[in-house]
Amino acid sequence: MVRIPFTRPTLSALEQRYVVEALESGRLSGDGPFTARCRERLEAVFGVPRALLTHSCTAALEMAAILCRVGPGDEVIMPSFTFVSTANAFVLRGATPVFVDIRPDTLNLDARAVAEAITERTRAIVAVHYAGVACEMDELIALAERHGLVLVEDAAQAYGSTYRGRKLGAIGSFGALSFHETKNVISGEGGALLVREEKDVVPAEIIREKGTNRSAFYRGQVDKYTWVDVGSSYLPGELVAACLLAQLERAEDLNKARLVLWDRYHTAFEEGERDGRFRRPIVPDHCCHNGHLYYLLLPSLERRQRLIEGLARQGITAPFHYVPLHSAPAGRRFARHVGDMAVTERTSDTLIRLPLHSGLGDVVEEVIEAVLTLA
Ligand SMILES: *Cc1c(COP(=O)(O)O)cnc(C)c1O
């Protein structure tokens, strides 16, 4: 029986109040008053000209892929150590994901591996900020500029994190956020696309609104709305936006609570790392993270599995991930990889994620004790 789940949403009376308000307003479809308030808040927090709510981060990544104007024959470089949506969004456009290895410290894209994978077919790089810790953005920006590539950020795990003081998600041309129940700030399912350049704002609005210029119509910029480009329906309804607005207003507190718990784990495991029982996460000095995820790297697959099973026997859910995308059936069919994937494969074999959510509280001590006994 699960006694201590891996994650659980932290909800308050505010989410309830806003959702009831939305219900009572009678306006439930997308782009109503709650969506507008979320948008304004995200635009202010991230300093971008447009933040478009979507029904998931997957949807935001699909929009980014359409905005990159990639198609068959084009290549997009990304880590293999990521969630499937990072790759699927581009496969849906007919483009080929090109997987490269990650760095052993932050488990993020290795810029040297990215440089080696660039060909004349490369169109974009997707930076995934694993565990809410930033990729080495200066190196990736330099590569993107030198080769004329679009830089997309998969910031699904990174709400509130920074790189050299800059907010993750607002550094590349496009940033995809997730508000899925497992993330720091949630609305059940939900996401947003951050658009950093003015020139992309109207095209992004059109793609999100079924390929129509409805957004410009509502602003009074055109006198009728019509089908003008490819697109789909990527906007969430108002109930989702109402829940999200409450979470966005509470975001700093939610992240702070996670960071306190993250620090408790980190301090408690210092000695275990010195003894070689596991390795703790590494956060570079120029990166501020959001406490999204606490993981440990065990010395071997067998020891990692033994720890997962031991914790499960005590009712503690501690999952691993990811199955590297380059070795997955669809990854082999739709993508290719360049170079040695040794760090990706070793990480996938040895990483364990510990329960962490802003409401975990002193239960963290139980998990610490169990890990120190079993690892
Ligand atoms: C969670 C996650 C996604 C997908 O987010 P959804 O909102 O569930 O679509 C994409 N990429 C990464 C790295 C994630 O962690």
Side-chain angles (χ1 to χ4, degrees), residues 208-228:
R208 177 169 168 274
E209 268 285 14
K210 299 99 180 163
T212 71
N213 54 359
R214 189 173 182 161
S215 299
F217 173 71
Y218 282 141
R219 284 196 295 264
Q221 291 164 337
V222 291
D223 58 10
K224 57 180 179 294
Y225 88 85
T226 183
W227 184 20
V228 292

Side-chain angles (χ1 to χ4, degrees), residues 289-340:
H289 73 108
N290 61 357
H292 173 63
L293 181 62
Y294 199 88
Y295 64 84
L296 292 172
L297 294 165
L298 277 285
S300 69
L301 173 65
E302 294 67 35
R303 285 175 67 175
R304 195 270 307 269
Q305 290 308 98
R306 237 192 295 146
L307 180 55
I308 288 179
E309 285 155 23
L311 290 171
R313 274 194 297 277
Q314 298 191 30
I316 302 171
T317 307
F320 68 91
H321 72 179
Y322 298 98
V323 174
L325 296 184
H326 73 276
S327 67
R332 287 204 296 264
R333 189 149 110 231
F334 297 121
R336 64 185 181 85
H337 69 274
V338 171
D340 185 358

Side-chain angles (χ1 to χ4, degrees), residues 97-119:
V98 174
F99 299 124
V100 299
D101 209 2
I102 49 174
R103 307 160 56 105
D105 54 358
T106 57
L107 311 182
N108 283 326
L109 268 184
D110 180 340
R112 271 177 312 181
V114 173
E116 277 164 26
I118 293 173
T119 70

Side-chain angles (χ1 to χ4, degrees), residues 56-58 61 82-83 85-86 128 154 156-157 178-180 183 189-190 322:
S56 63
C57 178
T58 301
L61 288 165
T82 181
F83 188 66
S85 296
T86 317
V128 181
D154 180 341
Q157 302 179 11
S178 176
F179 304 120
H180 185 265
K183 306 302 203 271
E189 303 280 347
Y322 298 98

Side-chain angles (χ1 to χ4, degrees), residues 332-372:
R332 287 204 296 264
R333 189 149 110 231
F334 297 121
R336 64 185 181 85
H337 69 274
V338 171
D340 185 358
M341 304 300 272
V343 182
T344 298
E345 281 162 8
R346 189 170 72 240
T347 303
S348 170
D349 282 348
T350 58
L351 183 140
I352 180 171
R353 297 180 288 160
L354 300 182
L356 182 57
H357 54 86
S358 28
L360 186 65
D362 289 337
V363 172
V364 72
E365 298 300 336
E366 270 187 71
V367 182
I368 288 169
E369 202 186 304
V371 169
L372 290 177

Side-chain angles (χ1 to χ4, degrees), residues 30 37 73 171 232 260 271 275 345 367:
R37 285 166 74 184
I171 300 174
S232 188
V260 167
E271 203 179 311
D275 295 345
E345 281 162 8
V367 182

